[in-house]
């Protein structure tokens, strides 16, 4: 029985590599982004992608949904979008002389919230219940969302015209915030060749079913993490809240608020996923260090002094990783 479980695990790990390969048929590069999207999918964590327009954020999520056998909806966030456009509303049926529920696009497995910060806070807040409770309330009725349910949101940098900063409560509900950077010269050359060829069309195969996803989640849950590494995660998060206690005196002047308890939870989950992707059944310190910037960069709030001195959350996180040691 144990051998059957090991064989299934290896099959799933091979399928994950095939998923990345299939997405690569359409999207050039961006393996890092795809890896982070899969971490979110397999650990029930929502992902926020940030980058300037034109970096294939939407195309990547679109392609990934085609490789996964899941119901997918894309919602374009605009300044005039209303909460009812997202979750649905009550409409009057003249034939029945009664009100009935018209469900919105939020009722899907994969939600692409495209340019989520182009809508005001009241619309962004409509996502909160769905992201945290996996339910939606319309009128007096609460509906369970189908599982798996994952919000993949893209946003443009907040200094661009026509953007609204996301509420802190919503940002904290994203497991990872992934910064999408420009492609390399070779990658952009390949992008240009593909997109300049108007007959280019790449078909992708469906690689994972819902059952596969649920099985992979169970396998990731069984990845072990030692007590010392669990405590290491706690120390990393507490260093963002009380940096002086960890000898981070220079960094302390720039941090207004540290990371929430969700950072500890998500560091644990994401590190297990990375270990599983690397075909290990145990977490290494390198797994935690690799994912820490994506888990914590949106949970550390810096003050105006940091902005004036050009200090970024990434620099703060690197200082914390360099300073905090694993206790034996």
């Amino acid at each position: 029985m144990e051998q059957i479980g090991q064989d299934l695990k290896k099959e799933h790990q091979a399928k994950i590599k095939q998923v990345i390969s299939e997405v690569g048929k359409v999207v050039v590069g961006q393996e890092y982004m795809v890896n982070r999207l899969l971490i979110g999918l397999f650990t029930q964590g929502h992902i926020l992608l940030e980058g300037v327009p034109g970096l294939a954020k939407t195309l990547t999520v679109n392609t990934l949904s085609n490789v996964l056998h899941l119901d997918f909806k894309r919602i374009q966030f605009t300044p005039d979008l209303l909460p009812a456009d997202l979750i649905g509303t009550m409409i009057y049926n003249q034939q029945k002389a009664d009100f009935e529920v018209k469900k919105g696009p939020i009722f899907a497995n994969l939600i692409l919230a495209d340019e989520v910060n182009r809508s005001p806070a009241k619309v962004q807040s409509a996502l909160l219940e769905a992201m945290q409770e996996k339910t939606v309330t319309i009128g007096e009725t609460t509906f369970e969302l189908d599982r798996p349910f994952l919000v993949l949101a893209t946003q443009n940098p907040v200094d661009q015209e026509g953007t609204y900063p996301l509420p802190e409560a919503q940002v904290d509900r994203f497991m990872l915030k992934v910064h999408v950077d420009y492609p390399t010269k070779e990658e952009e050359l390949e992008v240009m060749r593909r997109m300049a060829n108007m007959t280019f069309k790449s078909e992708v195969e469906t690689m994972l079913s819902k059952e596969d996803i649920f099985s992979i989640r169970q396998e990731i849950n069984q990845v072990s993490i030692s007590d010392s590494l669990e405590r290491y995660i706690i120390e990393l998060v507490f260093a963002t809240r009380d940096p002086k206690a960890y000898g981070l005196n220079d960094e302390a002047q720039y941090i207004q608020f540290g990371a929430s308890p969700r950072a500890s939870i998500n560091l644990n989950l994401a590190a297990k996923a990375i270990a599983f992707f690397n075909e290990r059944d145990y977490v290494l310190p390198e797994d935690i260090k690799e994912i820490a910037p994506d888990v914590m960069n949106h949970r550390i709030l810096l003050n105006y002094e940091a902005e004036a001195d050009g200090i970024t959350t990434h620099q703060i996180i690197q200082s914390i990783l360099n300073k905090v040691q694993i206790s034996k």
Side-chain angles (χ1 to χ4, degrees):
M1 193 71 177
E2 186 176 339
Q3 184 59 44
I4 295 174
Q6 288 295 326
D7 290 343
L8 185 61
K9 185 189 294 185
K10 288 180 180 178
E11 181 186 330
H12 286 151
Q13 288 167 334
K15 279 188 174 181
I16 290 171
K17 292 178 180 177
Q18 289 175 325
V19 167
I20 297 173
S21 177
E22 284 296 306
V23 174
K25 290 180 180 179
V26 178
V27 182
V28 179
Q30 303 299 7
E31 289 88 356
Y32 180 87
M33 184 185 0
V34 176
N35 176 276
R36 284 351 188 210
L37 293 175
L38 290 174
I39 288 175
L41 177 67
F42 298 136
T43 57
Q44 306 184 66
H46 310 290
I47 308 294
L48 180 62
L49 304 172
E50 182 179 81
V52 297
L55 297 182
K57 300 185 296 294
T58 305
L59 177 63
T60 302
V61 177
N62 242 320
T63 306
L64 182 61
S65 71
N66 292 331
V67 179
L68 305 171
H69 194 59
L70 297 174
D71 186 20
F72 170 74
K73 293 285 177 61
R74 177 181 181 273
I75 306 169
Q76 181 64 51
F77 280 67
T78 56
D80 60 346
L81 196 71
L82 299 174
D85 298 327
L86 188 67
I87 63 174
T89 188
M90 304 286 292
I91 60 171
Y92 185 72
N93 188 321
Q94 289 185 327
Q95 292 179 331
K96 297 180 180 178
D98 196 9
F99 285 92
E100 60 183 32
V101 172
K102 177 176 171 54
K103 293 182 178 179
I106 197 75
F107 289 88
N109 298 122
L110 279 182
I111 302 295
L112 172 57
D114 210 5
E115 297 188 303
V116 68
N117 61 334
R118 290 208 179 276
S119 288
K122 64 179 181 180
V123 179
Q124 297 166 4
S125 298
L127 278 173
L128 288 178
E129 182 186 1
M131 292 173 68
Q132 184 65 28
E133 309 298 336
K134 308 294 193 296
T135 60
V136 168
T137 302
I138 303 174
E140 297 179 353
T141 308
T142 298
F143 299 90
E144 290 277 342
L145 294 169
D146 191 23
R147 307 298 174 93
F149 174 76
L150 187 67
V151 174
L152 306 173
T154 70
Q155 74 168 4
N156 297 318
V158 292
D159 55 348
Q160 287 205 341
E161 187 178 350
T163 60
Y164 300 83
L166 296 176
E168 286 83 357
Q170 184 180 352
V171 171
D172 195 41
R173 279 170 168 78
F174 286 102
M175 179 185 195
L176 307 175
K177 180 183 176 184
V178 182
H179 179 72
V180 184
D181 211 345
Y182 288 107
T184 64
K185 288 181 180 179
E186 290 303 315
E187 288 171 346
E188 188 153 348
L189 179 63
E190 179 60 26
V191 169
M192 181 183 69
R193 285 171 175 168
R194 286 189 187 185
M195 295 300 109
N197 181 1
M198 291 184 286
T199 60
F200 172 78
K201 187 177 181 181
S202 182
E203 298 292 332
V204 294
E205 296 181 30
T206 302
M207 301 305 304
L208 289 175
S209 64
K210 283 186 182 181
E211 290 71 26
D212 288 327
I213 293 169
F214 294 138
S215 295
I216 290 171
R217 285 181 175 180
Q218 289 299 320
E219 290 160 0
I220 289 175
N221 194 47
Q222 292 166 6
V223 172
S224 65
I225 179 168
S226 67
D227 182 68
S228 63
L229 288 184
E230 286 182 330
R231 293 183 181 279
Y232 176 57
I233 288 173
I234 298 300
E235 296 295 337
L236 289 175
V237 174
F238 269 69
T240 70
R241 303 173 191 168
D242 187 12
K244 286 186 178 179
Y246 295 83
L248 295 159
N249 296 318
D250 292 338
E251 290 76 12
Q253 62 181 314
Y254 298 121
I255 299 176
Q256 187 171 357
F257 294 108
S260 74
R262 284 196 183 99
S264 306
I265 298 166
N266 292 329
L267 265 175
N268 188 308
L269 287 168
K272 286 181 178 180
I274 288 178
F276 182 81
F277 288 2
N278 291 324
E279 301 181 7
R280 280 185 276 104
D281 57 5
Y282 55 90
V283 174
L284 292 175
E286 289 73 20
D287 300 328
I288 298 169
K289 292 176 181 179
E290 178 184 336
I291 200 64
D294 295 326
V295 172
M296 296 202 295
N297 64 13
H298 55 303
R299 293 187 163 94
I300 299 174
L301 188 61
L302 302 184
N303 54 30
Y304 290 111
E305 191 176 346
E307 186 177 351
D309 291 349
I311 301 297
T312 65
T313 53
H314 183 76
Q315 291 172 303
I316 298 290
I317 293 166
Q318 288 304 314
S319 296
I320 291 172
L321 290 173
N322 292 336
K323 197 77 173 180
V324 177
Q325 302 299 314
I326 301 170
S327 58
K328 301 295 183 185

